[in-house]
Amino acid sequence: MTAADHAALYSAHWWQPVAIRPDDKRPILKGWQTATLETTWAAMATPGANVGIAVPPGCVVLDVDTKKEDGFATIAKFEALHGKLPETLSAT
């Protein structure tokens, strides 16, 4: 799937897609928080663009770092102390 395909999927589930710079975590568009869907789609045409989502109020995102740290070991320690995390949406 392309970044635009993922953006369409997120939009279909009422998540606001955000065009992300290639090999980066920052949005392509300034003012991405209030960007229209049309401007977001246009930004997706940037070669190598990625897609993220604007996290809605009340939602929490847990970013597990597995490149520089053993994030899965950290999660296991957390769960040992606080109980198992609930099943939820995930992305790679």
Side-chain angles (χ1 to χ4, degrees):
M1 287 179 69
T2 66
D5 292 333
H6 285 283
L9 180 64
Y10 297 148
S11 290
H13 288 89
W14 301 102
W15 294 84
Q16 179 188 349
V18 177
I20 305 295
R21 296 173 194 205
D23 299 317
D24 202 328
K25 293 183 178 183
R26 295 174 294 158
I28 292 172
L29 299 171
K30 291 184 180 189
W32 60 268
Q33 301 91 330
T34 57
T36 65
L37 199 51
E38 290 79 19
T39 15
T40 298
W41 284 120
M44 291 290 170
T46 301
N50 205 340
V51 62
I53 59 165
V55 180
C59 289
V60 175
V61 173
L62 182 61
D63 183 7
V64 180
D65 188 351
T66 58
K67 290 183 181 176
K68 296 180 183 175
E69 301 175 18
D70 186 357
F72 296 115
T74 302
I75 293 295
K77 290 176 189 175
F78 177 88
E79 289 182 328
L81 289 171
H82 303 286
K84 187 157 174 55
L85 290 168
E87 292 294 321
T88 187
L89 297 172
S90 64
T92 302

